[in-house]
Amino acid sequence: MPLALVDCNNFYVSCERVFNPKLEGRPVVVLSNNDGCAIARSNEAKALGIAMGEPWFRMEKIARQHGIIALSSNYALYADMSARVMALLAEFSPRQEIYSIDECFLDLGGIAPQSLPAFGRKMRNTIRQNTGIPVCVGIAASKTLAKLANHCAKKGLAGGEGVCDLAQLREKDRHTLFSTIPVAEVWGVGRRLAGQLMKLGIATVQDLKMANPAYIRAQFHSGLARTALELNGISCIDLETAEVPRQQIMVSRSFGSPVTALDDLAQSVAHFATRAAEKLRQDGSVASSLCVHIRTSPFIENAAQYQNSRVISLPQPTDDSRRLVSAALSGLRAIYRSGYRYRKSGVLLLGLHSRADMQRTLFDDTGQTAGSERLMRVMDAINRRMGAGSLTIAASGTRCAWAVRSARKTSACTTDWNELPTVAA
Amino acid sequence: MAGIMTPVSQHHSIQLSRPGNPPLRIPLFSHAIEAGFPSPADDYIEGRLSLDEHLVQHREATFFVRARGNSMVGAGIFDGDLLVVDKSLNPASGDIVIAVVDGDLTVKRLVVAHGQVMLKAENPRFRDIEFKDGQELQVWGVVTCAIKRFARG
């Protein structure tokens, strides 16, 4: 059964280019939260040697010399554009697995084999026209091969027009192709594993494909053996179409500037606990315990270091923002030490269970539970209608000493009425 | 004006009390209300007309932009109007389109006649944009509606 892996080219940069065509053909990088490092680069920026994860302060000089445009990450925009791309792709197949913000697998069973490349081109053209985002399509018999095919499509190693269907290649051409691709390119094989494989004489994709899976399992682990089977067209990894509820929920951010006061730290923790609670309710889950953590920056030399975390067990599993904020704040009070310049805090929800599965105990206060449900529903509805963060728990505060620094953010063109793109009339 | 709302259960009305004035009764509902206050979470009522559904044909390909300038007043597009743009539509001669010109987004009427492609302004005070041989016209999307708000909107 053929599978497709569709992924967006330089996704964050592409999103920015849709609304600012001046960025086309220019070297562009998108910076992480707090304008820390490059998390996306256009092909032109890659050609200038900007590496993924390169810290901004290190690239500033090159950026000025070559006119590299740096933008702060605009997640509101990227999330919306991703939702559009995924919804459009979902129309091409009854089974879709959204793998990441810019990649998805699609089950193409039912499409005639000879029509697959044209089908891939249709998907590519549809996404390009409807959203402006360029994508590449890899088609093959397994997920691992589909990822490889996508790589070939993107780099122009096989296929054409951004689409590569491995089945269209003759066996010997596939053999040649795989012999030229380093084994590190295979999905699931990182630099470290690639190094270990090289020591055993497995340097290319073809080498891994031809290796004995039992040998691989013995030398490494069953996951890599599965990968070797997948390279041979044997699909071992199925599409995950069911939405698996998260096992834990973490909300954490680095601060734009250091925070010393307990009040300000408490505001950040309350905010993160509220955000985590929203995600919890979205998943239809409740949490049994919560962990709050705070830390100073490990990157500043000679600065006093402190980091600590505290797990608070909740008397009753809950999804109520108020209870979670209260638990997070009590944890914070226990670990806070004055005199430190805190750079990051976070809240982690643990022991998640599906709300529906929760059994009532004798000690549950059903009256309170019903009231809590109602209040949370209203809060979520208002935030959906008026914009995220319209209604929060008072402890989150209004003055944001810890807010993320993003000096170069473009506007939220698709999610904020006040930030729409303007067109010259 | 100070007001005090007092639910009066038998008559389903509220009383507005101004200091010194007799209470003013205003009917609140014509029928009994279920227990609890009207929740904003319940604002989706089946069957009510939705402007969003009416104006947006292709959700994933529809974007909203703000018009700035007066080159299209002849077509009814004024400075500050909200434009609904559908990127999924194939542009045809006569359509009002958003086009990319010198890296900027601009709204004009697309006219293709005698093999000549033009972006026409709808205001005699503004120039048309002609596309000569070899120049490529990039259409960003087709404008399907213009929405204008009056002072009270």
Side-chain angles (χ1 to χ4, degrees):
Chain A
M1 191 117 72
L3 296 174
L5 189 265
V6 183
D7 101 320
C8 307
N9 304 349
N10 306 323
F11 184 57
Y12 297 163
V13 172
S14 296
C15 287
E16 302 285 355
R17 280 176 165 169
V18 171
F19 300 95
N20 187 354
K22 279 206 172 77
L23 298 175
E24 287 288 347
R26 308 281 308 279
V28 180
V29 299
V30 173
L31 304 175
S32 60
N33 277 335
N34 291 314
D35 296 343
C37 55
I39 51 171
R41 309 146 297 154
S42 70
N43 290 339
E44 299 79 7
K46 286 179 194 172
L48 284 170
I50 307 286
M52 182 62 99
E54 178 125 19
W56 171 236
F57 69 85
R58 223 182 278 161
M59 331 170 216
E60 265 189 283
K61 193 152 150 237
I62 309 175
R64 257 198 308 269
Q65 282 170 354
H66 296 276
I68 300 177
I69 298 151
L71 300 169
S72 307
S73 43
N74 187 346
Y75 286 110
L77 176 63
Y78 309 153
D80 181 60
M81 294 300 278
S82 172
R84 292 167 184 264
V85 169
M86 296 307 169
L88 286 165
L89 287 173
E91 291 175 29
F92 286 93
S93 164
R95 296 209 319 148
Q96 173 190 47
E97 176 193 329
I98 297 173
Y99 182 66
S100 71
I101 197 171
D102 68 346
E103 292 167 277
C104 82
F105 290 101
L106 294 165
D107 182 344
L108 298 189
I111 311 288
Q114 60 273 26
S115 310
L116 285 170
F119 194 76
R121 282 192 295 274
K122 186 152 180 246
M123 289 196 286
R124 187 170 129 96
N125 296 337
T126 301
I127 302 301
R128 182 56 150 153
Q129 167 140 15
N130 290 21
T131 64
I133 303 287
V135 307
C136 284
V137 182
I139 300 170
S142 70
K143 277 183 166 181
T144 306
L145 279 175
K147 270 237 168 201
L148 205 58
N150 184 289
H151 171 77
C152 293
K154 186 158 290 181
K155 304 290 181 205
L157 303 175
E161 293 176 75
V163 177
C164 172
D165 175 8
L166 287 179
Q168 300 293 317
L169 296 164
R170 285 174 303 178
E171 178 61 51
K172 70 180 187 72
D173 291 328
R174 259 202 306 277
H175 182 119
T176 313
L177 177 65
F178 289 174
S179 303
T180 60
I181 303 175
V183 73
E185 279 303 333
V186 176
W187 188 37
V189 177
R191 212 174 317 166
R192 196 177 53 87
L193 256 179
Q196 291 170 356
L197 284 163
M198 298 267 262
K199 290 203 188 98
L200 298 172
I202 300 171
T204 67
V205 174
Q206 183 66 17
D207 291 339
L208 184 57
K209 177 183 171 185
M210 299 311 292
N212 183 332
Y215 173 71
I216 297 291
R217 192 181 310 118
Q219 292 291 321
F220 298 91
H221 51 75
S222 57
L224 195 57
R226 263 203 304 277
T227 297
L229 285 171
E230 288 235 322
L231 286 175
N232 283 284
I234 301 161
S235 173
C236 310
I237 308 170
D238 199 13
L239 246 56
E240 272 167 50
T241 49
E243 291 225 356
V244 179
R246 285 174 267 224
Q247 297 309 302
Q248 57 188 47
I249 293 173
M250 161 83 106
V251 179
S252 153
R253 296 269 185 283
S254 297
F255 306 146
S257 33
V259 166
T260 48
L262 175 58
D263 260 349
D264 293 326
L265 211 48
Q267 280 184 26
S268 73
V269 164
H271 179 89
F272 299 152
T274 308
R275 241 338 255 134
E278 282 168 11
K279 294 188 194 188
L280 189 63
R281 291 194 292 275
Q282 233 169 36
D283 279 1
S285 303
V286 287
S288 329
S289 51
L290 172 155
C291 174
V292 56
H293 68 266
I294 53 178
R295 68 163 307 141
T296 51
S297 169
F299 303 112
I300 302 173
E301 291 177 21
N302 305 323
Q305 294 295 331
Y306 176 67
Q307 65 163 322
N308 208 345
S309 63
R310 179 61 57 98
V311 177
I312 307 280
S313 279
L314 300 160
Q316 202 180 320
T318 182
D319 64 358
D320 189 322
S321 295
R322 296 167 301 171
R323 298 211 186 144
L324 292 167
V325 167
S326 166
L329 291 179
S330 75
L332 175 66
R333 277 188 291 271
I335 56 180
Y336 174 78
R337 301 276 179 275
S338 65
Y340 290 98
R341 292 160 67 83
Y342 295 96
R343 228 30 216 267
K344 186 173 187 172
S345 75
V347 168
L348 174 64
L349 300 180
L350 302 159
L352 306 191
H353 300 283
S354 153
R355 222 163 181 286
D357 292 346
M358 283 317 298
Q359 290 171 336
R360 297 263 173 259
T361 72
L362 276 175
F363 304 102
D364 281 358
D365 186 343
T366 47
Q368 255 214 347
T369 313
S372 153
E373 263 181 57
R374 197 98 215 266
L375 181 61
M376 290 303 110
R377 246 210 325 274
V378 169
M379 259 186 77
D380 288 340
I382 291 178
N383 282 328
R384 261 199 307 276
R385 192 164 170 221
M386 310 293 283
S390 300
L391 205 58
T392 63
I393 305 295
S396 311
T398 47
R399 185 191 47 144
C400 257
W402 53 271
V404 163
R405 187 175 50 211
S406 44
R408 300 171 174 78
K409 193 146 81 161
T410 51
S411 61
C413 322
T414 63
T415 54
D416 190 335
W417 288 112
N418 297 318
E419 297 190 20
L420 295 182
T422 49
V423 297
Chain B
M1 173 179 86
I4 301 166
M5 295 214 305
T6 318
V8 180
S9 49
Q10 310 100 300
H11 301 282
H12 310 297
S13 68
I14 60 171
Q15 293 189 87
L16 278 177
S17 310
R18 266 176 279 205
N21 288 17
L24 178 67
R25 278 168 168 235
I26 301 170
L28 189 53
F29 287 106
S30 58
H31 53 274
I33 323 162
E34 304 282 296
F37 61 90
S39 164
D42 299 342
D43 67 352
Y44 177 75
I45 297 173
E46 277 182 12
R48 184 177 288 185
L49 295 176
S50 155
L51 205 54
D52 198 51
E53 274 173 33
H54 183 62
L55 298 180
V56 178
Q57 252 72 63
H58 305 111
R59 273 199 76 223
E60 319 304 345
T62 298
F63 297 85
F64 303 116
V65 301
R66 184 89 44 203
R68 285 271 164 255
N70 289 300
S71 67
M72 293 296 284
V73 295
I77 295 175
F78 292 79
D79 182 76
D81 282 356
L82 182 66
L83 304 179
V84 179
V85 185
D86 189 334
K87 281 171 81 75
S88 74
L89 301 176
N90 288 321
S93 183
D95 284 341
I96 297 176
V97 300
I98 305 293
V100 180
V101 177
D102 295 333
D104 288 317
L105 298 177
T106 182
V107 54
K108 293 286 176 286
R109 191 181 294 280
L110 175 68
V111 174
V112 183
H114 317 298
Q116 169 84 315
V117 178
M118 282 195 5
L119 289 176
K120 285 184 81 73
E122 295 264 354
N123 181 334
R125 292 177 43 210
F126 288 80
R127 293 188 311 109
D128 298 336
I129 304 169
E130 282 182 23
F131 285 83
K132 303 180 185 57
D133 273 334
Q135 275 184 311
E136 207 182 85
L137 163 65
Q138 192 191 339
V139 172
W140 196 88
V142 176
V143 180
T144 54
C145 342
I147 298 166
K148 86 182 308 82
R149 284 182 125 152
F150 300 121
R152 302 298 225 108

